[in-house]
Amino acid sequence: MATFFGEVVVAPSRAGLDEEEEAREETPEDREIRREIEKKRYRREIDVLWSRAEEPLVCSRFIVAIGRNAAAFLSSFILDSVCWEVVGVVKLWNEWCRTSSTTNVLPTDSFCLFYRLIADPTVLLCQCSCYVAEDQQFQWLEKVFGSMQKKGLQVTILSTCPVADYKTQESTLTLVSPFLKALKTKEFQEQVCCPLLEQPNIVRDLPAA
């Protein structure tokens, strides 16, 4: 049980399966396909490649945009200048995201890039528009944050979800969208820039991890 609202808790999940798929009995062909997909995924672990070898990276602020909408927001309002340089990439393989096997730091088919602010190299951005499967999320976090120093590090996550998933006593038809809500940890002492997310709304998948 969560001790405070917004705390990440571990719960059983059947993400990716709808009611019809759960009800349908798995055939031998389905099992074989699933085994082959799992083999490919496990053979291709998540790799984080940096243009510079220094580790751990000295980082004071790390902003992560997860999902196509959040990544597009970064592109339109933050990265649309010469103030940033690409310094790294995440390579992974799953059913919805397949990057190439090249060891180049900047593959052309990458969907997860890291940028460094030229004026202040301790500020990093991550633009992650690819899908990270549930069983890959811990490895993604472990390898990305394993490259960074943790002391004094402030992490900001940007993500989106459909208005239809927002739980409120008001009618979602009358909501002015898009709108912005926030969750924060107890360690974050600064003023938040928008209202806090109300219960019983939650954050899922990689943003929650």
Side-chain angles (χ1 to χ4, degrees):
M1 175 179 288
T3 56
F4 65 93
F5 178 62
E7 180 180 2
V8 176
V9 295
V10 178
S13 173
R14 304 231 351 146
L17 298 177
D18 58 25
E19 294 179 359
E20 291 182 1
E21 288 175 324
E22 289 180 345
R24 181 169 61 87
E25 184 176 351
E26 189 177 48
T27 65
E29 291 80 8
D30 292 335
R31 286 193 292 271
E32 181 64 25
I33 292 172
R34 180 168 50 81
R35 280 195 294 266
E36 288 302 316
I37 290 175
E38 289 174 351
K39 287 179 184 178
K40 289 182 179 180
R41 181 184 294 174
Y42 293 140
R43 283 199 298 266
R44 287 201 172 186
E45 294 186 352
I46 293 176
D47 292 317
V48 180
L49 306 175
W50 299 96
S51 60
R52 301 179 185 179
E54 74 239 23
E55 284 192 24
L57 295 172
V58 178
C59 184
S60 61
R61 291 179 181 266
F62 183 40
I63 302 172
V64 187
I66 300 174
R68 295 184 182 277
N69 291 333
F73 175 83
L74 277 191
S75 295
S76 299
F77 296 101
I78 298 179
L79 293 173
D80 190 20
S81 69
V82 294
C83 301
W84 302 88
E85 61 176 343
V86 179
V87 293
V89 64
V90 174
K91 300 172 61 58
L92 56 86
W93 189 101
N94 57 49
E95 297 88 328
W96 294 275
C97 179
R98 304 178 184 185
T99 57
S100 67
S101 58
T102 178
T103 57
N104 185 8
V105 174
L106 305 177
T108 56
D109 64 342
S110 174
F111 298 97
C112 190
L113 293 172
F114 296 95
Y115 299 83
R116 190 199 316 254
L117 183 63
I118 296 175
D120 183 357
T122 67
V123 178
L124 292 180
L125 297 181
C126 176
Q127 194 177 32
C128 182
S129 59
C130 63
Y131 172 77
V132 181
E134 185 177 273
D135 60 350
Q136 295 178 313
Q137 292 170 10
F138 176 77
Q139 186 183 168
W140 193 97
L141 294 168
E142 187 178 46
K143 293 198 172 183
V144 170
F145 285 95
S147 305
M148 302 178 184
Q149 56 84 19
K150 311 297 189 300
K151 186 176 180 180
L153 175 61
Q154 182 184 106
V155 180
T156 302
I157 309 295
L158 304 175
S159 66
T160 60
C161 68
V163 175
D165 292 344
Y166 180 62
K167 297 175 177 60
T168 176
Q169 294 181 347
E170 303 177 35
S171 171
T172 55
L173 297 176
T174 62
L175 291 174
V176 178
S177 61
F179 56 87
L180 189 65
K181 299 284 183 176
L183 284 176
K184 67 183 186 70
T185 62
K186 292 182 292 186
E187 288 76 17
F188 186 81
Q189 301 298 326
E190 298 181 19
Q191 185 73 26
V192 293
C193 62
C194 61
L196 295 178
L197 185 66
E198 309 91 345
Q199 299 189 50
N201 293 286
I202 61 173
V203 177
R204 297 180 175 87
D205 301 321
L206 187 59

